[in-house]
Amino acid sequence: MKIWKRAFVASLGISAALTLLSAPVGLAADKQENPQLVLWMDHPAKEKSWNNAFPVGNGRLGAMVFGGVSEEHIQFNEDTLWAGKPHDYVREGAYDLLGKMRDFIFAGNAKGAEALAGRTSPTFLSDPIRQLPYQPFGDLHLTFPTQGGESYRRELNLNDAVARVTYESGGVTYTRDCFASFPDQVIVYHVHASRPGQVTFAVGMSTPHKESEVRVLGSDVLELSGKVQPDGLRFDARLRAMATGGTISTRDGQLVINGADSATLLLTGATSFVNFQDISGDPARKADADMQKLAGKTYEQLWDAHEEDFHNLFDRVRLNLGHTGAADKPTDERVAACRTGGLARDPGLATLDFQYGRYLLISCSRAGGQPANLQGLWNADLNPPWESKWTTNINLEMNYWPAEVANLGECTAPLFDLIDDLAISGARTAKEQYHAGGWVLHHNTDLWRGTAPINGPDGVWPTGGAWLCYHLWEHYLFTQDKDFLAKRAYPDMKSASQFFVDTLVKDPRTGWLVTTPSFSPEHGGLVAGPAMDMQLIRALFDSTIEASHILKVDPDFAHQLADLRAKLVPDQVGHFGQLQEWEQDLDAENDNHRHMSPLWGLYPGAQFTPANPKIWSAANVLLKQRGDGSTGWSYAWRICLWARADNGDRAFSQLSDLLGKRTLPNMWDLCGPFQIDGNFGACAGIGEMLLQSQQLTDGQRGDPVIELLPALPKPWAAGEVSGLRARGGFEVAETWQNGELTQATIKSLLGNPVDVRYHGHDVRLTTQPGGTYVLDANLGSH
Ligand code: FUC
């Protein structure tokens, strides 16, 4: 059995009879609101501060709620509204350059190779060289007669997934709730007044797209329709008003609600996108059909359905890191306090950040929708930063790091659908540009599933698909779902492996097998065999080999992969004891690059363990040398890495810097501009500090291993968590005091055996499906 995170700690071999409980794993499983799970401010978002507004989303439709009193603004998105149309980005004839680029690289002339991956023809880059941007959809503008507004508060309540504005005016309390319902596929906006007949407002629609119009349909519906220029996707949204009491009328293209007790707006929206090769859909019909489905439903029914759906996902994990008086302040002030070390005095903010990550994933990644892009699904810009695409050399993957451990495995569905598409478009790129079988993805993709290298030489990085396949395998490790493995994961993994079988070449300088041309993500120049590529391919081959054993298929292919794996460039230790980023020892001691690519094998991979002290120590040397993060996501990656290195205080310092230096008042992450990956990376990192699990794959899989509280930082001396998931099919709860575990509860979902570790203690549990096992700090049973 492979040893995880432990060099020579002998198993204590405890086989004590363990208490088998039938109670569910959880803290007090009440339905009460947790006031700690609320982001709030005492002022609206300024009109120009889109990213100060609060986000709601149902995985497909998203909205940003600004919270103005007399003028409310709600900007909204639908996740298939992108620029462009079906397009194959493959560069014809690129293959002719491949051999030349390889020759240049092996001759030590990276510049020669890079000249063939530039903007001028001939180039190995995609056609065209850039991919296309995600688009905003539209805006709702609400005008209320109220001026001022006392006792103002706007909040994003994570307990109920609702953006709420409350204020008083003229002795009346107004409440406005906005949520995005997954079951009803609608954005709902509800206005309530404490006194009857006091709800009066007008609402209009607009869009930044030039080719568009707003029409009044009947007496209570607006339609916003248009097309992304020049000849792209068509879109259509419907806004319907319902009121209790009062009247609804139309005026100047707006809906006017007058003197109602309460009023509800329903917003549906759709585009002509069918799939990445077909945009023949009818958006008007879909937006209308979605609206028709709501006919006869009351606001309360919509609320209840939304609550049931959201709670089913969100309530699975409870976290309490303690809270102090600092938690009583508005969220923007709490975030600002992190600039001066405030996180250590405000553990509740870390809890909020963790649960916000879970909230955001539920809000932007649900079955049937697109995966979370660089901005999740929220975007107000026709030209968003990096096109708000899916960048696959860290960002898209980081978005899904928390999914399994934070018990939101279902939210991976859009990612896996994307991978299926990429296996199709990536097969064309493999064939045309590499004369290879299988599929390849470089460092970005868009709605049209571009897979060819883009932008410049740093786009020539062929292991994006290998990395995405790791998520398929991880989903299997967490769920042990053989049907998923056979039908969804293995075909994509096998085909991704095939690409490398066909394209790995022998480096004449070293004799090792390498990817080339390649790039260690955004660092250095074009090279052969960067460490990250080798780690990704080892992970891909290992998991494909193991899947072939589990599924009892393709034994010859598995042998072939094992043979090639042994010839890949190994992880190497360089001149200052560091794990090398490149095949050659080129690392500089003053380099703190944002990408932590050579440490992929530490996190999210699981290739470095103390069982191999040489590589474990080199990885730690590099981690230390790289210092603090810079972009939000680079801090987030470092949180996860330090957690894996069992250093909770260093992980905490990166979290503290992320919140203090790279976080907006609404707790969104900043790359430079808003980019959501850091939110998800931080969520995963906090999870990793509290619980780690592995089921190592190197052709000889051992039992799952769970490590309790592996990287608890000093400021979180007491706390409790429940509902975290572990590989092998477990749900784990932990409580701790004075920095020490007091109790762990492990629910076995599938009945697998598991090796549980804490501070040098080690116990092997033989479990029954559904069994719950309670352990004390010595891992003795209760
Ligand atoms: C990668 C990063 C950048 C940015 C971009 C979207 O290229 O290196 O910092 O996050 O993705």
Side-chain angles (χ1 to χ4, degrees):
M1 188 182 78
K2 185 96 182 177
I3 299 170
W4 164 246
K5 295 284 290 297
R6 183 193 54 155
F8 303 108
V9 180
S11 165
L12 299 177
I14 295 171
S15 60
L18 290 154
T19 320
L20 196 57
L21 299 176
S22 55
V25 177
L27 307 178
D30 55 59
K31 279 266 168 200
Q32 273 182 2
E33 293 245 319
N34 180 349
Q36 301 303 320
L37 297 184
V38 179
L39 289 79
W40 69 277
M41 294 185 212
D42 56 12
H43 54 87
K46 291 202 183 85
E47 190 45 37
K48 291 218 159 46
S49 301
W50 173 82
N51 53 22
N52 269 356
F54 283 139
V56 297
N58 67 8
R60 187 177 69 85
L61 298 166
M64 292 294 284
V65 183
F66 282 64
V69 173
S70 55
E71 293 192 0
E72 171 63 296
H73 178 193
I74 295 169
Q75 184 274 330
F76 65 94
N77 289 96
E78 201 270 3
D79 68 358
T80 62
L81 193 63
W82 287 63
K85 58 185 177 180
H87 175 75
D88 191 343
Y89 287 93
V90 164
R91 174 72 66 178
E92 276 181 35
Y95 177 75
D96 298 340
L97 306 178
L98 186 64
K100 291 181 194 149
M101 292 168 86
R102 286 177 172 165
D103 290 346
F104 276 130
I105 288 167
F106 290 146
N109 181 1
K111 293 275 170 267
E114 285 158 23
L116 299 178
R119 280 154 206 273
T120 48
S121 188
T123 181
F124 194 71
L125 297 182
S126 69
D127 183 10
I129 283 167
R130 295 191 72 87
Q131 293 175 352
L132 289 163
Y134 180 47
Q135 295 290 286
F137 196 125
D139 302 83
L140 304 185
H141 307 277
L142 294 89
T143 320
F144 292 80
T146 327
Q147 296 299 324
E150 291 128 46
S151 308
Y152 177 90
R153 175 178 162 113
R154 77 178 159 109
E155 65 178 44
L156 181 64
N157 189 322
L158 307 187
N159 295 289
D160 293 325
V162 63
R164 177 169 294 152
V165 176
T166 51
Y167 58 90
E168 285 170 27
S169 180
V172 180
T173 304
Y174 292 89
T175 308
R176 307 179 192 162
D177 280 353
C178 184
F179 62 87
S181 164
F182 177 72
D184 286 303
Q185 289 297 307
V186 63
I187 290 172
V188 179
Y189 187 83
H190 182 73
V191 187
H192 174 81
S194 61
R195 234 190 298 156
Q198 295 298 313
V199 172
T200 294
F201 64 94
V203 55
M205 300 177 88
S206 70
T207 174
H209 294 279
K210 286 205 178 93
E211 200 174 328
S212 60
E213 65 171 334
V214 178
R215 293 195 304 152
V216 176
L217 303 181
S219 59
D220 58 0
V221 176
L222 296 183
E223 177 192 34
L224 165 70
S225 61
K227 194 168 87 172
V228 182
Q229 287 181 324
D231 58 351
L233 286 158
R234 289 172 299 118
F235 56 89
D236 190 285
R238 303 291 164 105
L239 181 74
R240 181 157 79 87
M242 314 192 288
T244 309
T247 59
I248 302 173
S249 57
T250 63
R251 187 182 65 213
D252 303 333
Q254 297 197 323
L255 300 177
V256 179
I257 288 84
N258 209 338
D261 303 338
S262 68
T264 305
L265 301 176
L266 305 176
L267 176 69
T268 63
T271 77
S272 50
F273 180 82
V274 178
N275 61 51
F276 77 101
Q277 304 179 98
D278 179 0
I279 57 168
S280 67
D282 183 343
R285 181 187 257 183
K286 172 144 182 20
D288 182 48
D290 283 353
M291 189 62 83
Q292 297 302 334
K293 279 184 214 146
L294 307 175
K297 292 199 183 183
T298 63
Y299 172 70
E300 287 70 25
Q301 287 168 328
L302 295 169
W303 170 269
D304 287 348
H306 166 62
E307 290 306 299
E308 190 184 339
D309 168 71
F310 179 76
H311 282 286
N312 176 38
L313 293 164
F314 188 73
D315 293 358
R316 292 171 182 175
V317 179
R318 301 196 180 214
L319 174 63
N320 179 5
L321 297 173
H323 69 272
T324 61
D328 300 334
K329 300 231 166 67
T331 308
D332 47 348
E333 291 178 26
R334 294 170 77 187
V335 171
C338 290
R339 282 183 222 137
T340 49
L343 189 64
R345 300 182 295 274
D346 189 1
L349 192 65
T351 304
L352 185 60
D353 198 41
F354 173 80
Q355 293 291 23
Y356 191 37
R358 297 184 65 246
Y359 166 85
L360 289 169
L361 193 62
I362 297 168
S363 302
C364 74
S365 187
R366 297 297 296 272
Q370 295 295 314
N373 65 40
L374 287 173
Q375 299 187 170
L377 89 165
W378 297 278
N379 171 37
D381 226 327
L382 291 167
N383 292 303
W386 292 285
E387 294 80 27
S388 193
K389 306 190 294 289
W390 293 284
T391 303
T392 52
N393 63 14
I394 173 63
N395 319 84
L396 172 62
E397 291 88 350
M398 185 178 280
N399 287 355
Y400 287 90
W401 285 355
E404 307 288 349
V405 66
N407 213 336
L408 296 173
E410 298 91 330
C411 293
T412 56
L415 179 69
F416 300 155
D417 290 345
L418 173 73
I419 297 174
D420 286 348
D421 286 352
L422 294 170
I424 297 169
S425 60
R428 295 201 294 255
T429 302
K431 190 164 175 225
E432 180 66 31
Q433 301 207 191
Y434 294 88
H435 286 193
W439 67 282
V440 61
L441 167 67
H442 295 82
H443 92 310
N444 265 280
T445 191
D446 62 5
L447 191 70
W448 316 112
R449 307 323 192 205
T451 50
I454 67 164
N455 294 359
D458 60 350
V460 188
W461 173 73
T463 38
W467 194 344
L468 291 185
C469 284
Y470 195 63
H471 288 254
L472 294 168
W473 177 245
E474 288 264 83
H475 188 68
Y476 170 72
L477 290 183
F478 276 89
T479 61
Q480 315 269 311
D481 179 346
K482 281 197 186 148
D483 201 47
F484 169 82
L485 186 65
K487 296 196 179 120
R488 297 297 304 277
Y490 184 70
D492 291 338
M493 287 159 56
K494 180 183 171 191
S495 175
S497 297
Q498 184 64 52
F499 173 78
F500 295 107
V501 169
D502 293 350
T503 57
L504 286 169
V505 291
K506 192 171 177 177
D507 187 332
R509 300 167 297 180
T510 60
W512 283 315
L513 283 184
V514 289
T515 46
T516 189
S518 189
F519 215 102
S520 193
E522 305 187 28
H523 196 195
L526 276 181
V527 294
M532 185 201 224
D533 279 8
M534 300 297 100
Q535 292 164 20
L536 285 167
I537 295 171
R538 270 193 287 276
L540 175 67
F541 283 6
D542 287 344
S543 53
T544 307
I545 291 167
E546 189 167 343
S548 89
H549 293 164
I550 295 167
L551 300 172
K552 301 190 175 39
V553 292
D554 304 323
D556 295 344
F557 187 61
H559 276 128
Q560 189 182 11
L561 296 185
D563 180 48
L564 293 174
R565 185 203 191 282
K567 297 175 183 150
L568 293 166
V569 187
D571 288 309
Q572 303 177 82
V573 181
H575 64 282
F576 61 94
Q578 89 285 9
L579 189 79
Q580 282 181 208
E581 175 151 2
W582 295 279
E583 192 185 14
Q584 282 73 36
D585 185 4
L586 303 173
D587 303 78
E589 282 185 67
N590 59 358
D591 183 345
N592 88 326
H593 198 265
R594 62 192 183 284
H595 282 265
M596 301 296 272
S597 310
L599 293 174
W600 188 90
L602 182 59
Y603 187 95
Q607 296 176 350
F608 309 154
T609 76
N612 181 344
K614 186 175 143 211
I615 297 301
W616 178 254
S617 127
N620 276 275
V621 168
L622 186 69
L623 176 58
K624 202 163 159 206
Q625 179 272 320
R626 280 288 173 91
D628 296 337
S630 48
T631 60
W633 62 258
S634 76
Y635 281 114
W637 199 344
R638 283 156 165 90
I639 300 170
C640 299
L641 288 164
W642 280 113
R644 281 277 168 96
D646 293 344
N647 191 328
D649 288 326
R650 288 300 298 264
F652 181 86
S653 83
Q654 297 304 288
L655 177 64
S656 170
D657 280 355
L658 171 60
L659 283 160
K661 297 179 180 167
R662 291 285 171 171
T663 298
L664 285 156
N666 71 355
M667 291 188 76
W668 261 355
D669 165 70
L670 289 162
C671 174
F674 159 53
Q675 201 167 284
I676 207 161
D677 41 23
N679 284 102
F680 295 129
C683 178
I686 293 168
E688 208 64 24
M689 290 161 83
L690 301 176
L691 177 78
Q692 290 176 26
S693 70
Q694 279 312 331
Q695 191 161 15
L696 293 180
T697 304
D698 59 358
Q700 318 172 316
R701 185 157 59 124
D703 290 337
V705 175
I706 289 176
E707 234 185 305
L708 303 169
L709 299 180
L712 197 61
K714 286 187 200 77
W716 302 345
E720 48 188 346
V721 65
S722 67
L724 294 178
R725 292 289 291 265
R727 291 165 185 81
F730 302 93
E731 213 168 281
V732 181
E734 301 162 305
T735 56
W736 64 97
Q737 291 285 341
N738 303 319
E740 298 288 334
L741 182 77
T742 47
Q743 183 171 293
T745 308
I746 296 174
K747 180 171 184 183
S748 171
L749 305 173
L750 303 165
N752 284 325
V754 59
D755 199 358
V756 184
R757 300 189 182 154
Y758 175 67
H759 280 195
H761 298 288
D762 184 331
V763 66
R764 187 185 148 86
L765 303 181
T766 317
T767 74
Q768 293 172 24
T772 298
Y773 305 86
V774 181
L775 302 172
D776 62 22
N778 299 315
L779 304 190
S781 62
H782 272 236

